[in-house]
């Protein structure tokens, strides 16, 4: 959960302080911490009454996150952001990094209940990394 936020749309940078997490419940990066980091991206979005939802992440690196953390968001392009989850202790490497994070405005027509439930909602592509 987010405890505090600081940011500047003009500079394209935002920082959020997250609640200290002692138990990750078997995960390397707790989903609530990653969610808090993504919420920090709202500091860089234009002021609007429109509802924006996460749309795409270009690349993700999740190493492990625990203790007192902060989220750092940087504008990478007009519609793309980088989101970093890091320790509040200096010198520690990033625990999670999302590059090319984009949000999209929810179309009110798309928010209406669908007549028929679609069976395929997403597609995943895997790429092997060379060591």
């Amino acid at each position: 959960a987010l405890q505090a936020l600081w940011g500047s749309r003009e500079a394209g940078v935002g920082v959020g302080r997250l609640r200290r997490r002692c138990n990750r419940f078997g995960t390397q990066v707790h989903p609530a911490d990653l969610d808090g980091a993504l919420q920090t991206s709202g500091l860089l979005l234009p002021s609007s009454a429109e509802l924006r939802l996460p749309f795409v992440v270009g690349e993700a690196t999740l190493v492990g996150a625990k203790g007192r953390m902060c989220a750092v968001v940087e504008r990478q392009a007009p519609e793309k952001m980088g989101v970093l989850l890091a320790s509040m202790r200096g010198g520690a490497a990033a625990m999670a990094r999302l590059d090319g994070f984009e949000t999209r405005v929810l179309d009110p027509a798309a928010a209406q209940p669908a007549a028929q439930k679609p069976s395929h909602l997403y597609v995943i592509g895997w790429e092997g990394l060379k060591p």
Side-chain angles (χ1 to χ4, degrees):
L2 286 168
Q3 290 186 319
L5 291 169
W6 303 270
S8 168
R9 284 189 189 104
E10 295 78 28
V13 177
V15 177
R17 185 177 69 223
L18 283 79
R19 181 174 67 87
R20 180 177 174 80
R21 182 162 311 280
C22 298
N23 191 340
R24 293 177 291 176
F25 300 97
T27 63
Q28 289 297 312
V29 178
H30 194 280
D33 296 331
L34 195 54
D35 183 58
L38 294 176
Q39 289 176 30
T40 306
S41 68
L43 291 170
L44 304 185
L45 297 173
S47 294
S48 170
E50 297 174 311
L51 176 62
R52 298 186 73 89
L53 298 174
F55 180 70
V56 68
V57 173
E59 184 176 336
T61 305
L62 307 173
V63 177
K66 64 180 178 180
R68 184 156 309 277
M69 294 176 285
C70 68
V72 179
V73 182
E74 63 181 346
R75 186 175 296 118
Q76 295 176 330
E79 295 293 322
K80 294 184 180 187
M81 292 172 264
V83 180
L84 179 74
L85 189 60
S87 171
M88 293 285 284
R89 291 204 240 160
M95 299 176 193
R97 181 169 184 91
L98 305 176
D99 286 310
F101 175 66
E102 292 182 53
T103 62
R104 296 278 170 95
V105 174
L106 177 66
D107 178 9
Q112 301 302 319
Q116 182 179 2
K117 187 176 181 178
S119 59
H120 302 289
L121 298 177
Y122 59 90
V123 176
I124 296 176
W126 294 96
E127 292 182 32
L129 296 176
K130 296 176 185 175

